[in-house]
């Protein structure tokens, strides 16, 4: 990898959930976000953080991030999602399920041509 920054890093951290979701606050997640942010900053990534997104907003953020023009000039991409979840999916703060395969799809060749042939790393930290 030759560019500086190496790439963009998206960090979605869902800590606090709506009362009707019946999901508890994810204590300790702030430390995980801090550690991941420090790591990817040291690895020369530009980190973009978002917190407490409902399902609709998660899709918007993922779509917008995958459409960023900077991807074309950078070497790689990292996506971190920290939330509650279930097998194969994570929850928005409203308990709407976002399938992991749908997260990855935003960055495939059909949806993000700028990242074709470039490494894409997905980190999913989901309390089940």
């Amino acid at each position: 990898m030759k560019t500086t920054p190496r790439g963009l890093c998206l960090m979605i951290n869902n800590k606090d959930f709506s009362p009707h979701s019946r999901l508890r606050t994810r204590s300790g997640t702030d430390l995980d976000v801090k550690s991941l942010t420090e790591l990817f900053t040291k690895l020369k990534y530009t980190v973009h953080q978002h917190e407490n997104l409902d399902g609709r907003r998660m899709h918007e953020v993922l779509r917008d991030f995958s459409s960023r023009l900077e991807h074309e000039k950078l070497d790689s991409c990292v996506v971190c999602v920290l939330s509650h979840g279930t097998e194969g999916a994570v929850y928005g703060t409203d308990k709407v399920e976002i399938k992991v395969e749908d997260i990855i799809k935003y960055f495939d060749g059909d949806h993000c041509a700028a990242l074709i042939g470039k490494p894409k790393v997905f980190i999913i930290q989901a309390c089940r």
Side-chain angles (χ1 to χ4, degrees):
M1 291 199 253
K2 298 175 183 167
T3 64
T4 301
R6 301 271 186 246
L8 302 180
C9 173
L10 173 63
M11 187 108 31
I12 296 175
N13 179 33
N14 288 340
K15 176 182 178 179
D16 299 312
F17 292 79
S18 63
H20 76 273
S21 73
R22 304 182 113 181
L23 294 170
R24 295 188 321 239
T25 296
R26 295 181 59 252
S27 57
T29 192
D30 293 333
L31 182 58
D32 292 339
V33 168
K34 182 177 185 269
S35 296
L36 286 167
T37 300
E38 287 175 4
L39 170 68
F40 286 108
T41 299
K42 285 179 184 174
L43 292 173
K44 297 186 169 83
Y45 283 83
T46 301
V47 178
H48 298 267
Q49 292 185 10
H50 295 269
E51 292 190 356
N52 298 323
L53 304 180
D54 63 24
R56 180 189 57 78
R57 188 74 180 111
M58 284 180 72
H59 279 292
E60 288 174 0
V61 166
L62 287 159
R63 183 183 59 248
D64 292 348
F65 184 77
S66 69
S67 300
R68 293 184 70 111
L69 298 176
E70 299 101 311
H71 289 303
E72 196 167 306
K73 296 178 179 153
L74 301 174
D75 289 333
S76 61
C77 175
V78 176
V79 176
C80 304
V81 179
L82 299 88
S83 188
H84 283 293
T86 188
E87 186 69 35
V90 294
Y91 292 134
T93 57
D94 53 358
K95 204 176 178 182
V96 168
E97 283 188 19
I98 311 294
K99 293 180 181 176
V100 173
E101 69 183 55
D102 291 342
I103 293 171
I104 294 169
K105 206 176 284 186
Y106 281 107
F107 300 89
D108 69 13
D110 292 331
H111 299 93
C112 186
L115 288 172
I116 291 175
K118 298 178 182 180
K120 294 163 279 294
V121 176
F122 298 90
I123 298 174
I124 308 295
Q125 169 62 40
C127 304
R128 301 189 312 177

